Amino acid sequence: MTPTESAPLTTDFFDPDCPVRTIPVLGGRKWAWKIMRCLEGGPRRFSELRVPLVGITAKVLAESLRAMESEGAVVRTEYDEHPPRVEYALTPLGRTLLGPMDAVCAWSRQNLAGLLEAREAYERDEAGRAVGAR
Amino acid sequence: MTPTESAPLTTDFFDPDCPVRTIPVLGGRKWAWKIMRCLEGGPRRFSELRVPLVGITAKVLAESLRAMESEGAVVRTEYDEHPPRVEYALTPLGRTLLGPMDAVCAWSRQNLAGLLEAREAYERDEAGRAVGAR
DNA sequence: CTGTATCCTGAAAGATACTG
DNA sequence: CAGTATCTTTCAGGATACAG
């Protein structure tokens, strides 16, 4: 129910009109995976997040958190204190994403050696090709 | 074993010196998820891939395939024919990535309604805030 | 058919300075 | 503390033309 519009409700990634154009929450955002990981253990303050996220700027962190909030994966709670305190946490929805993420992360960890080897082999072949083409 | 260098061999995504800077194969590439899906059923020719990948240009497809090849997820096979024929296929390594991908895709599919709802709610609140701030 | 070679655009990210 | 405001950079992606 709640038929607001004729929303197709598809996740067919091959449909150019898919309402979720790329992978939700994680797609097209460099820091999203790491931010999810940082919130895994419980609510964190803005400045707490900046510590493990080495190199992120306040601007990018704020933008990322807002985007993830808009997708329902993160909730922002502002406390009326001085100095101000704001906490970010995973929503129940966001938390359900941790499992699928783990699958990909585990794969990366387990196959890192193979990935590095592939890269080396590829670069070796590239060099060989370049020499052969002389 | 095989101590080629002092390679840290870590997939700690919080390490800025991690040899695999973003999520391997899938990270930072708009079409990688879809390309993986297109190769799932077996080897495909370049022009075959362009059909389901609506909107991709030859340049971007070639770049993506080369990158995924360099990471060992895809193998390129060139047949010496006229007109030329080239086939792309998943490597055994690439194939092991399909499972983890499925987990994320299933999550997207199952939570699409919640994601759309969250987005609507977020935009409603934004509008409310804008009015309230008048 | 399977690309490459250019050139261009746009969106995300980064640097820096400043504010409630 | 928790951001916002600008400006600049970067680079994946796109358009078009051409080549083996």
Side-chain angles (χ1 to χ4, degrees):
Chain A
M1 294 150 209
T2 60
T4 50
E5 287 272 23
S6 57
L9 274 188
T10 171
T11 34
D12 180 2
F13 293 121
F14 297 101
D15 178 1
D17 296 328
C18 177
V20 183
R21 298 186 29 176
T22 146
I23 307 297
V25 183
L26 300 176
R29 259 185 290 280
K30 179 176 175 181
W31 296 92
W33 290 74
K34 292 183 180 181
I35 292 172
M36 291 289 295
R37 286 279 172 231
C38 289
L39 294 174
E40 189 170 18
R44 296 282 182 267
R45 304 182 60 167
F46 190 85
S47 49
E48 281 178 320
L49 288 171
R50 298 195 62 181
V51 177
L53 298 171
V54 182
I56 200 172
T57 61
K59 179 203 166 202
V60 170
L61 178 54
E63 282 172 355
S64 301
L65 286 167
R66 292 237 185 271
M68 294 164 78
E69 192 193 351
S70 83
E71 287 173 304
V74 165
V75 60
R76 177 183 185 275
T77 311
E78 195 173 346
Y79 298 92
D80 201 3
E81 302 177 0
H82 291 274
R85 183 163 66 100
V86 179
E87 278 189 349
Y88 295 90
L90 294 180
T91 62
L93 176 63
R95 201 159 280 283
T96 64
L97 180 52
L98 289 173
M101 282 179 57
D102 279 339
V104 177
C105 290
W107 181 86
S108 300
R109 224 174 303 116
Q110 284 161 17
N111 297 102
L112 176 58
L115 290 160
L116 293 176
E117 197 179 327
R119 175 171 290 278
E120 274 177 32
Y122 185 82
E123 281 162 4
R124 250 199 317 279
D125 285 7
E126 254 187 341
R129 245 179 277 143
V131 171
R134 187 178 52 82
Chain B
M1 296 143 213
T2 61
T4 50
E5 287 270 26
S6 55
L9 274 188
T10 171
T11 33
D12 180 1
F13 293 121
F14 298 100
D15 178 0
D17 296 327
C18 178
V20 183
R21 297 185 29 175
T22 148
I23 308 296
V25 183
L26 300 175
R29 254 183 293 280
K30 181 178 176 181
W31 297 92
W33 289 75
K34 293 183 179 180
I35 292 172
M36 291 289 295
R37 286 279 171 231
C38 290
L39 294 176
E40 188 169 20
R44 296 282 181 263
R45 302 183 60 169
F46 191 84
S47 49
E48 280 178 320
L49 288 170
R50 297 194 64 179
V51 177
L53 298 170
V54 182
I56 200 172
T57 60
K59 177 202 167 202
V60 170
L61 178 55
E63 283 173 354
S64 302
L65 287 168
R66 293 241 184 266
M68 294 164 76
E69 192 192 351
S70 84
E71 287 172 305
V74 165
V75 60
R76 178 182 185 276
T77 310
E78 196 174 346
Y79 297 91
D80 200 4
E81 302 177 0
H82 289 276
R85 184 165 64 100
V86 179
E87 278 189 350
Y88 295 90
L90 294 180
T91 61
L93 175 63
R95 200 159 280 282
T96 64
L97 181 52
L98 290 173
M101 282 178 58
D102 280 338
V104 177
C105 290
W107 181 88
S108 301
R109 224 175 302 117
Q110 285 162 17
N111 297 101
L112 177 58
L115 289 161
L116 292 175
E117 198 179 326
R119 176 172 290 278
E120 276 178 29
Y122 185 83
E123 280 163 4
R124 252 199 317 278
D125 286 6
E126 254 187 341
R129 245 179 277 142
V131 170
R134 187 181 52 84

